[in-house]
Amino acid sequence: MSDLPSVLQDQANRHWQRLLPLLDADQLAVITPFQPTLMRVFALSDFIAESAIHAPTLLIELLQGSELQQAERHGDYAPALASELATVDNEDRFKQLLRRFRRRHMMVIAWRELLGLSAVEESFVHLSALADALITQALAWLYAKACREQGTPVNADGVPQELVVLGMGKLGGGELNFSSDIDLIFSFPENGETQGGRRALDNQTFFIRLGQQLINALHQTTADGQVFRVDMRLRPFGDAGPLAVSFAAMEDYYQHHGRSWERYAMVKARVLGPKTAAGEELQQLLRPFIYRRYIDFGAIDALRKMKGMIEAEVRRKGLKDNIKLGAGGIREVEFIAQVYQLIRGGRERALQIRHLPAVLAELGRSGALAQSSVDGLQESYRFLRRVENILQEIGDQQTQTLPESERDRLRLVTALGYADWSCFYHELQQVMALVRREFIAVIGDAEAEQDDVPQIWHDLWQTNLTLEETTPLLLAVCPQEGEALAAALVTFRADCHRRSIGPQGREALNRLMPALLLAIAGHEAPATLFARVQTLLSQIMTRSAYLQLLVENRGVLNQLLQLCAASEVVAKQLARFPILLDELLDPQHLYHPTPLNQYRDELRQYLMRVPEEDVEQQMEAMRQFKQIQLLRISAADIAGALPLMQVSDHLTWLAEAILEEVVAQAWSQLIVRYGLPPHTRQTGERSFCVVAYGKLGGIELGYGSDLDLVFLHGGDPVGVTDGDRPIDVRQFYVRLAQRILHLFSTRTPSGILYDVDMRLRPSGDSGLLVSSLHAYEHYLNHEAWTWEHQALVRARAVVGEAAIVADFNQIRQQVLSRHRDQAALQQEVVAMRDKMRAHLLRGTAEQYDLKQGAGGMTDIEFMAQYLVLAYAEAHPDTMTRWSDNVRIFDTCAEEGLLTDEESARLKKAYLAIRDMAHRCTLSGQSRIVEGGELLAERQWVTALWQKLLVNTAS
């Protein structure tokens, strides 16, 4: 102990004092001779100390046994665990045994590595073998139990089927780290059904349930802890896909839908457990997807893009000193090895191996990499992985970031054998610099632009010229706005001098500003553009990674200026959320928004990067996804690649995808706490529906639109949930609604998700957050005002199972189609319109309000609503079909309620007014325009308003 720093001695003593009262005299006699070693290991690892305190008898067993001295133990894991499980007959004991088995052997692994008794390679072997044993033996126990209770799954020929588990990532490669998630994929050979149970169950359902039980057995946290965090998002179609699929379905997916990143992931895929015919068949089936028969140089670009995404993620999360994802980290060594595997693996079978050190050795043998590079990478990888393991062995926490606390830094350098932190950190930087050089040599890097900026722009930024000296220089190149630009530049430069930027940031800013000023001077309104960009620079000047991104990627800088020049809204969006700068790296992607039918899939893929149980990170990720997609939509809009209707379509489909995910997350979080309502256990459905009103309902969402929502449920209100904290069904759905609103409105670093307006629900702000379908129908038929029926015209079910959506559609059609007195309806609609205009009309006599002015957007919307309410009784199927104004006018023409000319002119006027309002929003202006704008369209709308709603009423 004397050689340990005092901080660690104090930590060891605290653990020791907690352990002593738990020991009897015999146990103390066993432990005392080992006290010096115990104190050292307690000083280095809270995990080992807490494990010993949690189970002192386990510590005694380890000290009396031979495991702590054995290097070769991994072959004993599976048979030892199988023997212990053979005596277990209930799930609680089963879960307890798994967790205690894991704790025992993880203590041994950490003990040996922290005390320098084992090399990191030994830890790789034992951690992977232990995980393999825990997964496969738990599966075997659960499979036997499921077969007893439900019958045995067989194929069409009566051959029993088994669940094949693919271990991905480091588990598949046999180099698991100490506190790792495990990424799994479940598959089974053939479809069929169970035999020998009370009723036949199809194989997929059987294996999905078995997979759920396995995940629960491993993932659930009990009094004894957790076995592994389990991640299933690498399976076909991610979270949207079934938990287990047949071999045929696997083959079809990877043949038609597999992506580059999935090839990368599959390089390490390994069937867990002993070799079986089914396992070999699955590996053979996947091989053509992973390894192309030709030399695949496209893999380099794919991996480069993946690396770019990872670096963007590091910037987004503000990660510092991350030995896995940072430049020169573990991930770059993996990429170096795997790019060769993906390029050449189809032709060179020797590269079709999973263990990374073995891949590097083979690359050296084949001459693909110089032996000096191989040796350097092997040593660097071994060093980084040992650092990673020791970081995680401190507290059994999944981390790859160097500690900031003095105590944990001392633990790390003590376990590694360094004199102090600076010696260790210096060597770490050298190691990571070597890896980075090798990575760039193989994968390539974006070449920095040559500095071709004339000297005048360097002088303007770096020589502290006064305003009087700066102004004539800028007037010479920007005659119209040189004076304003000079004033803004001098002010900004002075502000930069006062800010604490740091040497790296200041160097990057000094390289950036001359190029930026040169580019800005070439725009029509340089002072306006500089003001917009200056807001962004003020946000990022203390974050050198973003400044460096603009310095070293001239294309990103050009895209930034193009977007900021076109739209103040986009400029503000980029200033508020600088993480969006990463999206400017790929203009082809930037100006081509996600296809409408892929928003849900893209969102699921994006969320796969975040642990499911980390609610805060999930919320932040959803907000980042929204901001990224909004930028792409607005960029395409600015470039003229999307007409107005398609912009609204994209904004609407994006909101729906996010809404669906929010509902799914809220539901999952609620059932963990309260369990399932009775009716959902029987059907497997939520019996919950989200109805969109307003712009979302009418498929006319704009950039700043809020979401008008109503929540409905179709469940039996009688009964309680089946969880540990049961609540009645009504309360469950109210809490579901509250959770949904919480997920939308909570402010994270990327803001809120959407503003949600619930005032259109039955009884408005005084009504329940969630109504039953029956109560909703009763309210609309007996209590709702005419304006609420008008709002219902634009209502649309956007989330919910088919059955409850059909029920809502039926209620909507019935309410809209009921008999109404046309004269009374006209009077009510006109009165409501007059009331709105009196309260909401803005602007002077010389100006025009595009929304509330006579002949504006609201007049057109009211005409559409009036036509539906007035004529749906005669045409119930057609007049209630659509919720958007354009198709309502088309239907009116088809039914003879408007002439073709009236319908066409209404649509033309509506789209022209909407388009102008949209452009105002995009440029940061209000919807109040010059009085002469769109005069002909407004006059025509006003004339039709008089014809439909005033003259006929009189």
Side-chain angles (χ1 to χ4, degrees):
M1 279 280 285
S2 59
D3 65 322
L4 289 176
S6 59
V7 173
L8 299 189
Q9 291 182 35
D10 291 345
Q11 184 72 7
N13 278 319
R14 279 193 290 271
H15 287 315
W16 181 255
Q17 293 306 319
R18 289 174 59 207
L19 176 65
L20 286 180
L22 305 175
L23 304 174
D24 59 31
D26 291 340
Q27 291 173 325
L28 187 59
V30 172
I31 281 180
T32 301
F34 295 97
Q35 183 178 353
T37 305
L38 273 172
M39 295 294 279
R40 186 173 188 84
V41 84
F42 281 7
L44 297 176
S45 173
D46 293 334
F47 163 68
I48 293 177
E50 293 294 341
S51 297
I53 292 165
H54 180 79
T57 53
L58 173 56
L59 178 62
I60 300 295
E61 289 173 15
L62 291 178
L63 292 174
Q64 290 181 320
S66 59
E67 291 168 272
L68 295 175
Q69 283 73 47
Q70 285 183 335
E72 297 294 328
R73 313 173 306 280
H74 56 91
D76 298 334
Y77 293 144
L81 182 55
S83 175
E84 292 187 40
L85 287 174
T87 64
V88 175
D89 59 2
N90 71 81
E91 284 204 36
D92 288 341
R93 176 67 183 134
F94 164 68
K95 291 178 181 177
Q96 183 184 63
L97 195 151
L98 291 177
R99 281 151 183 76
R100 292 185 177 181
F101 189 89
R102 175 201 184 263
R103 184 181 292 273
R104 176 192 187 105
H105 294 287
M106 293 291 273
M107 283 179 70
V108 175
I109 293 166
W111 183 296
R112 288 182 56 77
E113 188 161 14
L114 287 167
L115 295 182
L117 302 175
S118 68
V120 72
E121 289 84 356
E122 180 184 314
S123 296
F124 288 165
V125 171
H126 286 281
L127 289 165
S128 303
L130 177 60
D132 203 313
L134 284 160
I135 296 163
T136 56
Q137 296 308 313
L139 174 60
W141 191 91
L142 290 166
Y143 178 76
K145 179 174 178 287
C147 290
R148 288 194 301 271
E149 295 173 354
Q150 301 170 46
T152 301
V154 299
N155 66 7
D157 299 325
V159 177
Q161 301 293 288
E162 61 189 80
L163 185 66
V164 178
V165 181
L166 277 175
M168 309 295 287
K170 291 186 172 66
L171 173 59
E175 48 195 294
L176 202 62
N177 57 43
F178 188 81
S179 185
S180 179
D181 290 355
I182 53 170
D183 296 284
L184 305 178
I185 295 177
F186 298 153
S187 188
F188 58 92
E190 295 181 61
N191 289 312
E193 60 183 27
T194 56
Q195 288 183 354
R198 284 179 303 206
R199 63 184 182 88
L201 197 66
D202 70 88
N203 284 357
Q204 185 168 38
T205 301
F206 176 91
F207 285 118
I208 286 174
R209 290 180 182 176
L210 179 62
Q212 289 169 335
Q213 292 165 3
L214 178 60
I215 293 167
N216 180 262
L218 300 171
H219 191 96
Q220 184 184 25
T221 302
T222 71
D224 293 291
Q226 189 181 45
V227 184
F228 291 108
R229 293 175 298 273
V230 180
D231 194 331
M232 298 297 301
R233 291 175 293 177
L234 292 180
R235 69 184 188 266
F237 297 110
D239 282 341
L243 198 61
V245 296
S246 68
F247 286 4
M250 285 276 280
E251 183 174 30
D252 180 74
Y253 172 81
Y254 289 113
Q255 210 170 56
H256 297 103
H257 306 285
R259 304 183 183 192
S260 295
W261 67 264
E262 287 175 301
R263 281 187 69 203
Y264 168 77
M266 277 290 172
V267 166
K268 285 183 174 288
R270 173 174 64 89
V271 174
L272 302 185
K275 283 190 176 182
T276 63
E280 285 296 303
E281 181 184 351
L282 181 58
Q283 296 274 193
Q284 290 298 326
L285 179 151
L286 292 171
R287 187 165 280 115
F289 167 68
I290 307 167
Y291 299 108
R292 305 290 197 248
R293 282 185 293 180
Y294 50 86
I295 295 179
D296 182 15
F297 288 105
I300 294 181
D301 191 50
L303 285 175
R304 188 184 294 122
K305 286 179 179 176
M306 285 180 64
K307 178 59 182 170
M309 290 169 62
I310 290 166
E311 289 176 344
E313 193 73 6
V314 170
R315 283 194 291 271
R316 285 190 178 101
K317 292 181 177 179
L319 298 180
K320 183 187 175 190
D321 287 339
N322 189 289
I323 61 166
K324 177 181 179 182
L325 302 180
I330 294 166
R331 184 57 55 86
E332 291 193 355
V333 186
E334 294 171 342
F335 273 24
I336 291 168
Q338 285 161 332
V339 72
Y340 282 105
Q341 289 183 280
L342 292 177
I343 292 171
R344 302 177 181 277
R347 300 277 288 271
E348 299 175 25
R349 294 293 294 267
L351 287 172
Q352 294 183 14
I353 47 181
R354 303 179 188 91
H355 191 58
L356 188 141
V359 176
L360 290 175
E362 180 57 37
L363 292 173
R365 278 193 294 272
S366 68
L369 273 179
Q371 192 58 49
S372 59
S373 295
V374 170
D375 293 342
L377 288 169
Q378 292 275 31
E379 286 303 314
S380 299
Y381 184 68
R382 188 177 296 114
F383 176 86
L384 292 169
R385 290 300 309 276
R386 184 160 183 240
V387 173
E388 177 187 41
N389 263 9
I390 290 171
L391 281 175
Q392 296 180 357
E393 286 160 357
I394 290 172
D396 195 14
Q397 297 294 314
Q398 186 185 27
T399 180
Q400 287 91 13
T401 301
L402 297 181
E404 294 184 358
S405 72
E406 181 195 3
R407 184 184 65 195
D408 287 347
R409 285 185 169 186
L410 287 170
R411 285 167 154 171
L412 182 60
V413 298
T414 300
L416 289 168
Y418 286 90
D420 54 39
W421 180 258
S422 61
C423 290
F424 158 72
Y425 195 67
H426 176 71
E427 181 158 348
L428 175 69
Q429 288 179 310
Q430 288 185 315
V431 166
M432 295 182 77
L434 182 151
V435 172
R436 185 64 174 179
R437 286 195 300 273
E438 295 292 345
F439 176 80
I440 291 172
V442 173
I443 305 290
D445 198 15
E447 292 183 6
E449 297 282 345
Q450 293 296 316
D451 188 2
D452 52 359
V453 180
Q455 186 60 40
I456 183 176
W457 301 105
H458 291 275
D459 295 341
L460 279 166
W461 176 249
Q462 293 178 344
T463 55
N464 290 322
L465 298 174
T466 64
L467 178 60
E468 291 72 19
E469 293 168 323
T470 302
T471 302
L473 292 173
L474 285 174
L475 280 171
V477 289
C478 311
Q480 299 298 319
E481 294 194 359
E483 209 167 318
L485 180 58
L489 174 60
V490 169
T491 301
F492 178 66
R493 191 173 56 205
D495 182 48
C496 290
H497 286 313
R498 288 191 296 270
R499 298 279 291 274
S500 176
I501 300 175
Q504 281 187 322
R506 198 164 295 282
E507 181 186 349
L509 194 63
N510 288 339
R511 290 177 60 199
L512 170 65
M513 288 306 297
L516 177 71
L517 291 169
L518 171 62
I520 282 177
H523 281 261
E524 288 183 14
T528 302
L529 178 54
F530 183 79
R532 292 177 181 178
V533 176
Q534 175 187 332
T535 306
L536 168 66
L537 293 176
S538 297
Q539 293 294 318
I540 67 171
M541 68 171 61
T542 56
R543 300 166 73 178
S544 59
Y546 286 117
L547 292 174
Q548 208 69 40
L549 177 67
L550 295 174
V551 167
E552 297 193 3
N553 294 272
R554 192 67 62 85
V556 172
L557 182 60
N558 292 337
Q559 297 301 325
L560 170 67
L561 296 179
Q562 183 177 329
L563 291 172
C564 289
S567 171
E568 185 179 14
V569 169
V570 172
K572 288 179 177 177
Q573 186 188 11
L574 289 165
R576 281 189 67 198
F577 310 113
I579 60 170
L580 296 175
L581 290 172
D582 292 314
E583 298 305 309
L584 309 187
L585 281 164
D586 185 358
Q588 187 175 4
H589 209 169
L590 176 65
Y591 292 100
H592 293 84
T594 301
L596 294 176
N597 63 352
Q598 291 181 23
Y599 278 112
R600 285 173 172 80
D601 184 48
E602 289 292 325
L603 176 56
R604 281 190 291 267
Q605 298 292 346
Y606 194 84
L607 293 177
M608 283 174 64
R609 296 184 269 182
V610 181
E612 292 178 75
E613 64 272 14
D614 192 335
V615 176
E616 289 185 9
Q617 280 297 317
Q618 287 277 338
M619 287 197 292
E620 171 66 4
M622 277 196 286
R623 284 151 178 76
Q624 289 180 0
F625 178 82
K626 178 198 170 187
Q627 298 299 339
I628 289 167
Q629 300 302 327
L630 280 179
L631 180 63
R632 292 177 184 173
I633 294 166
S634 55
D637 185 4
I638 289 166
L642 285 181
L644 172 65
M645 295 280 283
Q646 288 184 31
V647 170
S648 291
D649 287 348
H650 278 275
L651 294 171
T652 300
W653 262 253
L654 169 62
E656 287 185 28
I658 291 172
L659 181 57
E660 186 176 286
E661 179 62 32
V662 166
V663 171
Q665 288 193 16
W667 180 269
S668 298
Q669 292 164 22
L670 229 66
I671 63 174
V672 167
R673 184 175 298 179
Y674 302 114
L676 289 164
H679 56 282
T680 67
R681 292 198 300 274
Q682 298 155 9
T683 63
E685 297 184 342
R686 298 187 190 113
S687 198
F688 180 78
C689 177
V690 180
V691 177
Y693 280 71
K695 285 186 169 59
L696 180 59
I699 319 177
E700 296 174 355
L701 215 58
Y703 289 113
S705 300
D706 57 10
L707 306 184
D708 294 291
L709 303 179
V710 169
F711 300 142
L712 304 174
H713 76 86
D716 183 351
V718 178
V720 296
T721 58
D722 64 354
D724 294 335
R725 299 167 58 188
I727 56 175
D728 69 65
V729 172
R730 284 193 186 90
Q731 192 179 16
F732 176 87
Y733 280 110
V734 169
R735 292 196 180 179
L736 176 63
Q738 290 170 335
R739 191 65 193 165
I740 291 168
L741 295 176
H742 171 77
L743 292 175
F744 270 114
S745 63
T746 299
R747 188 168 294 280
T748 75
S750 292
I752 64 169
L753 201 47
Y754 285 96
D755 282 311
V756 176
D757 192 333
M758 298 289 295
R759 290 175 294 178
L760 288 174
R761 68 185 187 271
S763 302
D765 284 340
S766 62
L768 293 171
L769 277 179
V770 188
S771 297
S772 69
L773 280 169
H774 175 73
Y776 179 70
E777 181 178 18
H778 181 273
Y779 177 84
L780 288 175
N781 278 315
H782 301 289
E783 300 176 49
W785 298 82
T786 297
W787 68 264
E788 291 177 285
H789 289 175
Q790 286 180 244
L792 188 64
V793 170
R794 285 163 69 81
R796 186 170 57 92
V798 290
V799 176
E801 295 92 3
I804 193 168
V805 168
D807 290 341
F808 163 76
N809 289 338
Q810 186 176 0
I811 291 169
R812 177 177 178 272
Q813 185 184 60
Q814 176 262 313
V815 172
L816 294 180
S817 305
R818 65 190 238 186
H819 175 73
R820 292 176 175 85
D821 179 86
Q822 201 164 114
L825 176 64
Q826 288 170 334
Q827 290 174 357
E828 289 184 69
V829 171
V830 170
M832 176 54 68
R833 183 70 195 98
D834 289 343
K835 185 178 179 181
M836 284 181 67
R837 187 175 285 119
H839 283 84
L840 301 174
L841 183 66
R842 296 188 294 159
T844 66
E846 292 77 30
Q847 295 174 317
Y848 181 67
D849 186 332
L850 289 167
K851 185 172 184 180
Q852 297 296 340
M857 269 192 290
T858 305
D859 281 0
I860 300 172
E861 290 168 354
F862 267 51
M863 281 192 278
Q865 293 159 14
Y866 163 74
L867 288 165
V868 171
L869 295 179
Y871 297 104
E873 181 184 17
H875 310 281
D877 292 332
T878 54
M879 288 300 291
T880 64
R881 182 179 302 159
W882 307 116
S883 61
D884 62 290
N885 295 309
V886 169
R887 284 187 289 196
I888 288 173
F889 293 139
D890 285 337
T891 304
C892 288
E894 291 166 8
E895 298 294 351
L897 308 176
L898 294 173
T899 67
D900 288 342
E901 182 187 7
E902 287 171 336
S903 172
R905 294 182 75 174
L906 259 181
K907 289 189 295 182
K908 181 182 176 184
Y910 185 57
L911 292 176
I913 294 169
R914 266 188 66 199
D915 188 59
M916 182 168 286
H918 178 74
R919 297 297 155 203
C920 288
T921 299
L922 204 56
S923 60
Q925 300 169 0
S926 77
R927 64 171 189 246
I928 312 303
V929 298
E930 294 296 324
E933 293 285 356
L934 300 173
L935 191 57
E937 287 85 351
R938 289 153 45 193
Q939 289 172 343
W940 197 89
V941 171
T942 302
L944 189 58
W945 175 274
Q946 292 291 324
K947 175 183 173 182
L948 290 176
L949 286 151
V950 180
N951 296 339
T952 54
S954 59

